[in-house]
Amino acid sequence: MGAIWAVITRLHAFAGPVISVLYPMLASVKAIESPLKEDDEQWLTYWILYSLMTLLEIAAAPALAWFPLWYPVKLALLCWLVLPQFKGASFVYNQLVRKYVVNNSGAIKEKVGDVLDPQTRSSVERFIHENGLDALDKLLSEAAQKNEKKPLPSPKQESQERY
C-alpha cells in the first residue's frame, strides 16, 4: 500500500508537465492552424491563466509549502482548464475577462482617451491606421531618445519661450 501511495503522491511530477505544458502546446499549434476562433480563445486564455498561476505559485511558495495538497489541487485545476470536455479556460474567459474587461472597454478607452485631446487622438489613430502600430512605436522611441539628449529647460527659460 505504501508503494501505491508513493506513486500516487508523485504522479504530478510526470502528469503535471504533460497536462500543463505538452498537451496545451500541441493543442495551441492545432488552434493556430484551424480557422475557428473558439479554440484560439481557449488556448490563449489557458496560457494567460497558466502564466498567472505560475507567477502566483512562485510568489506564494513559502505559504504553499505548508499546504501538502497544493500539487494535487493544482493538477486538478489544470485538468479543468485544459481538457476539452470541461473547457475551463474558455469558461474563465467568458465569466471573468469578457464580463469585466470587454464589457467595460468603453470606459477603459474613455479613461485612456482623456489623456489626449480629440485632435491629437484623431491624428494618432489616423497615423496607426496608415502606418501600423510598429511605426508608432518606432516614432515614439525616436522621440524619447531625442528628448533624452536635450537638456531640460529651466522654468524661467520655459516661461520666456511661451511669451
Side-chain angles (χ1 to χ4, degrees):
M1 182 67 181
I4 294 172
W5 182 249
V7 169
I8 291 172
T9 57
R10 302 288 181 238
L11 185 62
H12 68 80
F14 175 73
V18 170
I19 292 171
S20 65
V21 178
L22 188 61
Y23 175 73
M25 181 180 62
L26 295 172
S28 296
V29 170
K30 283 184 179 181
I32 290 170
E33 298 299 322
S34 81
L36 300 174
K37 180 185 177 218
E38 292 81 21
D39 54 0
D40 296 346
E41 178 184 289
Q42 162 73 18
W43 295 112
L44 285 171
T45 307
Y46 169 77
W47 288 114
I48 292 167
L49 295 172
Y50 177 75
S51 300
L52 181 63
M53 186 185 306
T54 302
L55 290 173
L56 292 174
E57 185 177 20
I58 291 168
L64 292 174
W66 290 93
F67 185 57
L69 294 176
W70 166 243
Y71 289 108
V73 168
K74 177 185 172 185
L75 190 59
L77 180 61
L78 287 170
C79 285
W80 179 72
L81 290 172
V82 166
L83 293 175
Q85 296 88 340
F86 303 116
K87 295 186 179 182
S90 290
F91 175 81
V92 170
Y93 175 79
N94 289 322
Q95 296 301 314
L96 297 175
V97 176
R98 182 169 289 176
K99 187 181 285 185
Y100 295 108
V101 176
V102 176
N103 291 343
N104 294 319
S105 64
I108 293 169
K109 284 181 182 178
E110 185 177 307
K111 288 182 189 277
V112 171
D114 289 345
V115 175
L116 301 174
D117 63 89
Q119 185 178 3
T120 305
R121 184 176 38 234
S122 174
S123 298
V124 170
E125 288 172 354
R126 187 173 51 251
F127 182 86
I128 291 170
H129 180 71
E130 292 172 359
N131 302 298
L133 201 52
D134 290 335
L136 178 65
D137 188 37
K138 182 179 176 185
L139 183 68
L140 292 173
S141 296
E142 290 172 359
Q145 288 174 354
K146 286 180 184 176
N147 284 337
E148 287 176 3
K149 293 177 185 174
K150 289 182 184 177
L152 292 173
S154 66
K156 182 179 176 185
Q157 184 182 18
E158 193 175 88
S159 65
Q160 289 173 350
E161 289 174 0
R162 286 186 186 169
Y163 302 106

